[in-house]
Amino acid sequence: MKAAALSSFGGPEVLTLTEVPEPRAGAGTVRVRVRAAGVQHFDTGIRQGWAPPSVDLTFPVIPGNEFAGVIDEVGEGVTGFSVGDEVLGYTTTKSYAQYVVAPADQIVPKPANMPWDVAGGFTANGLGAHLCLKEMGVHPGDTVLIHAAAGALGTFSVQLARAWGATTVIGTASEANHDYLRSIGAIPVTYGEGLVERVRAVAPDGVDAAMDNAGPDALRASVELVADKNRIRTMLSDEVAEELGVPLLGPGRSAERLAELTELYAKGLIKIHIRQAYPLERAADAHRELETGHGRGKIVLTVD
């Protein structure tokens, strides 16, 4: 099969279209003919040589931790799924390929109204937003602050907070993205110097919870704005969080969380903006685009 794989670590140019053996479904797993795969900063870290815990990065390394496609093999002991089912799910690596094998407890049915590009880039940001907001205790009536709200993770987080009943969601972004944030239900605030004062002007009664997707400065601003540090989480700044006494985000990816999110999508409560869809052979360009740090929405790979 064809895969976007690494034969060495380095810049985007080391990610090339490669012929590799097809994987086969084993006990408790399914094989999926991939239609689309999401592109994450997690993947760019692997490309640069970072190894997730318990993952053996033996070349050729195939990145990719989220995917959508059609089941074409079902392993022994798998129930609830059949050949031909359209699904989306997650792995740790190996999704930038024509076929991926995943445990059956890491996939869910794809909603009929969800396009393939959206499905391929739905899982990782969805589960990240769900885990973070759940640990923050977001509930009806809250005022929630989402830093870097126009990015793929921020976009998901804004909409999920609203779906869970937050009365006010404030999103930080550049002015070019303010209209976009309004369109997904957030009150936009420009990041940078004076952020704390700008947020207080928008939320004079205070901020109940805050999610940092931007970095240390955003996390420090969150500590100034939120009275209870237990209701703050960061996706980027663990060392600073420990210094400030902010709890670290725990693990928690699950098919149950993903199924809850796909149901919200099917009901029209979550919408995903695709910034750019690249064919599999242009995975290096997808990484270049992601690493600019600019633009809003999700980058995905489509698999022919």
Side-chain angles (χ1 to χ4, degrees):
M1 71 172 182
K2 294 178 181 178
L6 312 171
S7 57
S8 63
F9 298 120
E13 69 279 357
V14 301
L15 190 56
T16 60
L17 196 64
T18 307
E19 289 285 343
V20 298
E22 288 185 11
R24 313 304 305 194
T29 70
V30 299
R31 189 174 81 163
V32 176
R33 176 68 166 88
V34 178
R35 295 290 302 273
V39 178
Q40 296 284 320
H41 288 288
F42 183 94
D43 308 334
T44 65
I46 288 175
R47 192 202 73 225
Q48 294 165 354
W50 169 74
S54 303
V55 174
D56 179 22
L57 297 184
T58 300
F59 296 118
V61 175
I62 305 171
N65 66 92
E66 59 178 342
F67 62 88
V70 181
I71 294 176
D72 78 335
E73 286 184 2
V74 176
E76 182 181 355
V78 173
T79 60
F81 292 101
S82 303
V83 171
D85 287 350
E86 297 181 348
V87 297
L88 63 153
Y90 60 94
T91 56
T92 303
T93 56
K94 304 186 186 304
S95 294
Y96 292 6
Q98 290 180 310
Y99 297 94
V100 66
V101 170
D105 62 359
Q106 294 180 192
I107 60 171
V108 300
K110 182 183 80 69
N113 65 337
M114 182 183 281
W116 281 116
D117 56 355
V118 170
F122 188 86
T123 299
N125 291 134
L127 290 177
H130 190 293
L131 175 61
C132 197
L133 296 182
K134 185 66 71 172
E135 288 197 4
M136 288 158 52
V138 171
H139 53 70
D142 275 346
T143 294
V144 180
L145 173 62
I146 308 292
H147 294 280
L153 178 57
T155 291
F156 214 122
S157 303
V158 167
Q159 295 176 94
L160 186 56
R162 293 302 305 269
W164 284 352
T167 302
T168 302
V169 179
I170 302 166
T172 71
S174 64
E175 291 188 12
N177 286 317
H178 283 195
D179 285 344
Y180 172 68
L181 289 187
R182 293 185 186 98
S183 76
I184 61 172
I187 299 173
V189 172
T190 304
Y191 54 73
E193 186 176 352
L195 172 63
V196 170
E197 290 71 22
R198 288 191 292 276
V199 172
R200 284 175 174 157
V202 172
D205 295 329
V207 174
D208 299 299
M211 178 180 181
D212 163 38
N213 302 317
D217 289 344
L219 183 57
R220 292 187 178 95
S222 299
V223 170
E224 289 190 55
L225 290 161
V226 178
D228 183 358
K229 292 181 181 179
N230 289 318
R231 302 199 67 191
I232 302 171
R233 291 294 186 277
T234 180
M235 303 297 287
L236 296 174
S237 308
D238 285 358
E239 290 185 6
V240 177
E242 289 182 308
E243 293 173 9
L244 297 173
V246 172
L248 299 182
L249 191 65
R253 295 200 299 178
S254 72
E256 290 76 18
R257 289 182 188 271
L258 185 55
E260 180 183 340
L261 294 168
T262 57
E263 183 177 349
L264 291 174
Y265 180 92
K267 292 178 178 178
L269 297 176
I270 299 289
K271 297 180 180 179
I272 303 301
H273 172 68
I274 300 299
R275 185 199 315 181
Q276 184 73 46
Y278 291 89
L280 184 63
E281 61 268 24
R282 293 186 60 196
D285 289 333
H287 275 218
R288 290 185 184 98
E289 171 69 17
L290 182 66
E291 291 181 320
T292 65
H294 302 298
R296 59 174 178 257
K298 185 73 181 185
I299 299 170
V300 300
L301 299 176
T302 56
V303 184
D304 188 5

